Amino acid sequence: MNTPSLRTLILTHVQRPEYHPVKPKTITKQLGLPPDLQKDVRKAVRKLVKAGKLAYGDKHLVLPVSAPAADAPQAMSKDAAAENTNRPAKKERSEQKRSKQERPKQERPKQEQPQGKSEKASSSQTKLVSGVFKRAMGGFGFVRPTGAPSRGRENDIYISRRKTHDAASGDIVEVRLSSKPGRGGRVQGEIVDIVERQTQTFVGVYSQRNGVGYVRIDGKIFSDPIYVGDAAAKGALAGDKVVLELIRFPSHAHEGEGVVTEVLGARGEPGVDTLSVIREFELPEEFPEDVLEDARRRAEAFDESIGADRLDLTHETIVTIDPVDARDFDDAISLEKNDRGNWRLGVHIADVAHFTPLKSALDREARNRSTSVYLPDRVIPMLPETISNHLASLQPDRVRYAKTAYIEFTPEGTRVSVEVHTSAIRSRRRFTYEEVDDYLNDAEPWREKLTPDVHALLGRMHELAMTLRKKRLARGAIELVLPEVKIDLDKQGRVSGAHVVENTESHQIIEEFMLAANEAVAEYLRERHLFFLRRVHDAPDPRKLEALSAFLKELGLECDQVANRFEVIRVLAETADSPLRYAVHYAILRSMAKAVYSPEDAGHFALASDCYCHFTSPIRRYPDLTIHRMLTALEQGRKPVQDLEAITILGEHCSNREQRAAAAERELVKTKLLTFLSKKIGQEIDAIVTGVEEFGIFVQGSELPAEGLVHINSLRDDTYDYDAKTHTLTGRRAGNTYRLGDMVRVEIGRVDVDRRQLDFQLVADQPPQPASPQSKAKRPRGQKKRGPR
């Protein structure tokens, strides 16, 4: 189909009176076009938007340009669309997977449409709001309006059980607001349409009742089991974990119905928990055959030769520093003093772009995945291991292709200049973080193990890194010290213990050099007036700063208003050796926004950088790969392709993929911990308060990072009042107060692995204690300095 005909077809379709805003992929399906035309449809829509004939709405739904109907999401500017990418991590699902689950309003069975007087209400007299729905165990739920802060519930819309219809947690829905207040005086409404299903694929536990099969979905998405009829064809047995495709979503009027599509194995068997999370989050596993074949061809063609288009740096002293179990080495360092007495830092990054040309099979798959996923017992890579662990990996004593950023600094750490080259390097040595820490503790014994050049290089690296770190913190970078403990697994993938994650000086050396390179490259591109994928971290919302100020005052800290980063830093410094330290750090973290990918010309609040991007990890992050391609184009005298709309959409896609990966990791860690703790009922542990709500306090173990709830009904020693501004629970009689950062002694009370629930009970006669950084008995043994990267 030629482009003009396709545009006419799309425009006619969108301007139909019964059209309901959907994404381009759904338009492809509605028009009955083959899947291979999806890309053409996206391009055609983009052209129509640029021509002013169509508009993008919230979440890039396609809208007609005429005044939108009362039930249509409002169109956004490109900048607003770029800003509105920050959905809760657990809610993220791929556009490619989700779109198959969208059902246009006109195709939905009549019994699923809202009934009664609400249908007759005039759209001109009632307000419609779109947002993400979350169902509670009682059947009722809440809708968080699009654009509302991800934390806090003050903006959520209450939906009674009878007015949720068949919406499931995570669905994007449209709500008609009621003029009457709902539960607890909250704004209430009725779901009138499901704009987009989060998914129709779920994972749960199979059971039988009176010869009929049911599946109880993992988590708290649905309160009742889903009817699946006879699952004998798939060989499902009671207690098996299965994958379910929902045919009909449950509502107050009817039960749900689904079909078992895959049996994963018996619940509790090794590996089944990991496979369940992979299916639940729709994570990719095996690479398509054409992608593997593409990787094999490029491996056969690679011979370590250095062409004229590459700067030969194989003579330089270059090293890598990575975790002991790392297999992909994507960054290497060189450092020397030049004739002017300035530092010349070389940050050499794997030239992944050389092996993944734009629009190749490898590029298509890398773009779709956008990130490697690091689960506790496996890694799902963005690229096949032929590329990530071999061709592109900066292995020692091998010629490897790189993108090199040479950054010149004065002795005081001020950046003077930046050069970017396509290069070839040969790493002299592969260090682990533990080895470098040992060197920094006592360098003399290492003289016998290292060449003089490498031995001297480590010393120079430490000197410059600490200078850069001091300068970065002085300019206003915010670093939070929070306890972090990682789980240890046995050979069967079960939790065997935990270990402290330490942020030692060896980690800080690499961190400082990567931050310096990311910032230098971002400014290099900005100086050339280019659109590119930045790493954007917005300043905290003023409402969150007001809440933070109130909380700090409640702690007794002098703080009129936390209005800027230096006031935050002052509070952090004031409480550095105080028992209140963790309470303050947790509260500040809760006030922070999420970092996202966007072409928006905005800075990175936590890093105190007004221009920042990701350049240093193209093996595992697609945004870095886009930066490398732009640098190659500039080096070859070409102007990189500049399509703001396409970059904005790519930024949202990469942000969603990143958040999906983080959510999957959290979910699997939680599942493994709950399985471990289910055999420890009654055991007492030390824990730190990580959240306070009106229904109880959330706490996380100090030695095992398991988070659970101490329900307010279990606090029987007193009657507790909740203060929403300061996030505290205070007893009326004894005056015990529970707040963020407090240390408590709890007992493991109840574990429900399938529901992902862990309930603690406070140990009697153990009042809350402020977490003291000076008392090993009262604080977690591990700590990590954090700030959004």
Side-chain angles (χ1 to χ4, degrees):
M1 181 179 294
N2 60 53
T3 301
S5 298
L6 182 59
R7 292 182 194 171
T8 301
L9 185 64
I10 294 170
L11 192 60
T12 302
H13 177 73
V14 174
Q15 290 176 340
R16 292 165 55 200
E18 64 270 28
Y19 171 77
H20 187 75
V22 293
K23 293 186 176 182
K25 187 172 182 179
T26 304
I27 291 178
T28 306
K29 294 178 65 177
Q30 292 174 348
L31 292 174
L33 300 174
D36 58 5
L37 284 180
Q38 290 170 6
K39 188 174 181 180
D40 295 326
V41 170
R42 284 200 304 271
K43 288 183 178 179
V45 168
R46 195 178 305 143
K47 294 289 186 183
L48 289 167
V49 170
K50 288 183 177 180
K53 296 180 180 180
L54 294 178
Y56 283 119
D58 188 14
K59 301 298 177 184
H60 294 285
L61 302 180
V62 181
L63 308 178
V65 294
S66 56
D71 64 344
Q74 296 300 304
M76 298 187 298
S77 67
K78 293 178 181 177
D79 289 342
E83 293 171 6
N84 193 25
T85 60
N86 194 12
R87 290 176 57 197
K90 183 65 185 285
K91 310 302 179 190
E92 298 302 334
R93 292 294 188 270
S94 72
E95 175 183 340
Q96 293 183 338
K97 293 290 184 182
R98 287 188 305 210
S99 57
K100 74 176 183 179
Q101 298 136 11
E102 297 171 354
R103 292 185 294 168
K105 187 192 305 184
Q106 62 267 27
E107 296 177 3
R108 198 166 292 131
K110 290 183 178 180
Q111 68 267 24
E112 292 185 28
Q113 294 291 340
Q115 302 292 322
K117 295 180 180 180
S118 61
E119 286 186 332
K120 301 177 182 179
S122 170
S123 61
S124 63
Q125 296 176 347
T126 58
K127 183 177 180 182
L128 290 134
V129 175
S130 64
V132 178
F133 175 70
K134 183 175 182 180
R135 187 183 291 274
M137 289 296 293
F140 60 90
F142 298 92
V143 171
R144 174 154 298 172
T146 301
S150 60
R151 290 185 180 271
R153 300 182 299 157
E154 59 272 11
N155 297 299
D156 291 0
I157 303 165
Y158 171 73
I159 311 293
S160 69
R161 184 174 182 272
R162 295 185 62 82
K163 295 183 178 180
T164 60
H165 300 286
D166 67 347
S169 288
D171 290 349
I172 300 176
V173 300
E174 208 160 57
V175 177
R176 178 179 290 122
L177 299 182
S178 171
S179 58
K180 299 178 181 179
R183 186 171 179 169
R186 188 187 298 272
V187 174
Q188 67 173 342
E190 176 181 11
I191 292 176
V192 296
D193 189 38
I194 296 168
V195 177
E196 183 178 338
R197 290 286 188 192
Q198 183 191 35
T199 183
Q200 283 182 268
T201 302
F202 300 90
V203 175
V205 179
Y206 178 75
S207 64
Q208 288 188 343
R209 191 166 66 231
N210 299 325
V212 178
Y214 289 87
V215 174
R216 180 170 288 280
I217 304 300
D218 288 351
K220 306 171 187 176
I221 300 174
F222 302 114
S223 56
D224 297 318
I226 303 297
Y227 167 79
V228 294
D230 183 9
K234 290 292 181 180
L237 301 175
D240 280 350
K241 287 303 260 321
V242 299
V243 180
L244 175 75
E245 187 82 13
L246 268 188
I247 298 173
R248 182 175 67 178
F249 279 72
S251 73
H252 72 282
H254 56 71
E255 68 177 3
E257 183 178 353
V259 175
V260 172
T261 60
E262 183 181 5
V263 178
L264 303 178
R267 176 176 53 180
E269 286 297 306
V272 172
D273 54 358
T274 298
L275 196 56
S276 297
V277 168
I278 288 174
R279 294 291 187 272
E280 178 183 346
F281 286 87
E282 301 178 26
L283 299 177
E285 282 193 281
E286 301 300 325
F287 286 94
E289 183 54 37
D290 65 328
V291 176
L292 296 175
E293 179 59 30
D294 194 2
R296 286 192 288 267
R297 285 198 305 269
R298 299 187 189 282
E300 292 170 1
F302 182 63
D303 60 3
E304 298 192 12
S305 61
I306 303 175
D309 60 336
R310 290 189 179 273
L311 182 63
D312 187 348
L313 302 177
T314 55
H315 60 282
E316 288 203 9
T317 303
I318 298 174
V319 299
T320 62
I321 305 176
D322 291 280
V324 65
D325 57 351
R327 292 188 295 167
D328 56 335
F329 312 128
D330 54 11
D331 58 84
I333 301 296
S334 63
L335 181 63
E336 57 188 15
K337 284 282 187 77
N338 62 20
D339 296 339
R340 294 183 294 278
N342 288 341
W343 294 106
R344 190 170 191 255
L345 171 66
V347 179
H348 314 276
I349 306 300
D351 188 3
V352 177
H354 175 80
F355 302 103
T356 56
L358 191 64
K359 298 184 180 180
S360 65
L362 279 166
D363 173 64
R364 181 199 70 224
E365 186 67 15
R367 181 190 178 103
N368 179 45
R369 297 186 178 214
S370 289
T371 181
S372 295
V373 183
Y374 294 88
L375 301 176
D377 52 2
R378 75 165 71 175
V379 175
I380 301 176
M382 184 180 79
L383 293 165
E385 290 190 358
T386 302
I387 303 295
S388 61
N389 294 352
H390 178 50
L391 296 185
S393 182
L394 305 181
Q395 300 167 335
D397 301 317
R398 305 291 296 271
V399 174
R400 287 293 179 260
Y401 293 166
K403 271 280 185 266
T404 293
Y406 277 122
I407 313 168
E408 184 176 349
F409 294 99
T410 66
E412 296 76 30
T414 300
R415 188 173 68 240
V416 175
S417 65
V418 180
E419 303 171 20
V420 181
H421 301 278
T422 299
S423 65
I425 70 167
R426 179 186 283 113
S427 171
R428 299 292 181 87
R429 191 166 194 304
R430 186 255 169 159
F431 285 101
T432 67
Y433 286 117
E434 292 79 7
E435 287 177 325
V436 176
D437 284 325
D438 187 63
Y439 168 94
L440 295 175
N441 184 55
D442 186 359
E444 281 304 312
W446 282 87
R447 291 190 182 278
E448 298 178 1
K449 305 176 185 179
L450 306 174
T451 64
D453 287 347
V454 172
H455 189 277
L457 172 61
L458 287 182
R460 293 196 298 270
M461 288 170 61
H462 180 252
E463 181 182 351
L464 176 60
M466 295 304 105
T467 299
L468 294 178
R469 182 176 180 80
K470 181 179 179 181
K471 187 177 183 65
R472 183 171 62 85
L473 295 177
R475 79 182 184 188
I478 297 173
E479 290 202 318
L480 303 177
V481 180
L482 297 171
E484 182 170 358
V485 182
K486 289 285 187 179
I487 61 173
D488 298 321
L489 304 178
D490 61 20
K491 293 181 179 180
Q492 300 299 316
R494 298 187 177 97
V495 174
S496 60
H499 66 276
V500 174
V501 177
E502 298 184 61
N503 188 32
T504 63
E505 286 193 334
S506 63
H507 292 78
Q508 292 170 12
I509 289 173
I510 296 302
E511 179 183 35
E512 292 304 324
F513 292 160
M514 297 305 106
L515 291 174
N518 287 335
E519 189 171 53
V521 167
E523 294 193 9
Y524 180 87
L525 294 174
R526 181 174 66 176
E527 289 170 359
R528 285 151 181 79
H529 309 291
L530 297 172
F531 295 122
F532 60 96
L533 269 189
R534 303 167 186 250
R535 186 62 167 174
V536 174
H537 183 233
D538 288 333
D541 185 280
R543 292 174 295 179
K544 291 187 176 183
L545 289 179
E546 289 179 9
L548 176 60
S549 298
F551 176 78
L552 295 176
K553 289 178 183 178
E554 178 69 18
L555 294 180
L557 299 173
E558 293 185 9
C559 179
D560 292 334
Q561 184 68 38
V562 181
N564 58 62
R565 70 175 64 256
F566 291 101
E567 182 68 8
V568 172
I569 292 171
R570 183 192 66 77
V571 172
L572 291 174
E574 183 179 327
T575 57
D577 298 318
S578 163
L580 301 174
R581 177 163 79 162
Y582 289 131
V584 170
H585 285 238
Y586 269 112
I588 292 174
L589 178 64
R590 288 171 64 90
S591 72
M592 292 286 188
K594 287 181 182 177
V596 296
Y597 294 106
S598 169
E600 181 186 2
D601 189 3
H604 196 295
F605 178 79
L607 296 178
S609 174
D610 64 354
C611 186
Y612 191 74
C613 74
H614 277 167
F615 157 75
T616 55
S617 295
I619 287 179
R620 62 182 178 88
R621 291 189 307 229
Y622 194 80
D624 304 52
L625 187 53
T626 69
I627 298 297
H628 281 227
R629 287 174 176 151
M630 296 185 77
L631 294 172
T632 297
L634 291 172
E635 192 174 7
Q636 295 174 350
R638 297 182 289 110
K639 184 175 181 179
V641 175
Q642 294 287 276
D643 187 333
L644 179 60
E645 193 65 44
I647 297 174
T648 299
I649 294 172
L650 178 60
E652 180 177 353
H653 170 72
C654 292
S655 298
N656 291 345
R657 286 290 196 257
E658 176 190 39
Q659 292 164 15
R660 179 183 71 169
E665 180 187 5
R666 286 194 302 270
E667 191 74 1
L668 184 53
V669 168
K670 186 173 186 178
T671 301
K672 288 183 177 295
L673 280 170
L674 290 177
T675 301
F676 176 75
L677 294 176
S678 65
K679 303 176 179 64
K680 307 285 184 181
I681 301 298
Q683 180 174 310
E684 294 182 6
I685 63 173
D686 289 322
I688 188 169
V689 176
T690 56
V692 182
E693 299 290 347
E694 58 187 341
F695 51 82
I697 60 175
F698 289 97
V699 302
Q700 178 175 302
S702 301
E703 297 185 357
L704 279 176
E707 186 176 63
L709 175 68
V710 178
H711 199 279
I712 195 168
N713 290 341
S714 70
L715 301 177
R716 298 174 181 174
D717 63 319
D718 206 338
T719 299
Y720 286 84
D721 294 319
Y722 173 66
D723 188 328
K725 290 185 177 180
T726 61
H727 286 280
T728 57
L729 283 175
T730 304
R732 295 179 182 176
R733 295 188 299 274
N736 284 341
T737 298
Y738 296 96
R739 59 167 63 94
L740 289 173
D742 282 349
M743 295 299 300
V744 293
R745 184 76 174 172
V746 296
E747 177 184 297
I748 300 169
R750 176 177 171 273
V751 177
D752 188 332
V753 178
D754 298 328
R755 286 299 198 195
R756 308 288 195 266
Q757 284 183 304
L758 171 60
D759 293 335
F760 288 116
Q761 292 182 339
L762 289 176
V763 175
D765 302 323
Q766 289 288 330
Q769 300 290 329
S772 172
Q774 299 168 320
S775 172
K776 293 183 179 179
K778 293 181 181 178
R779 70 163 177 141
R781 294 176 296 174
Q783 62 186 40
K784 180 181 179 183
K785 300 194 177 188
R786 292 183 55 175
R789 296 299 176 218

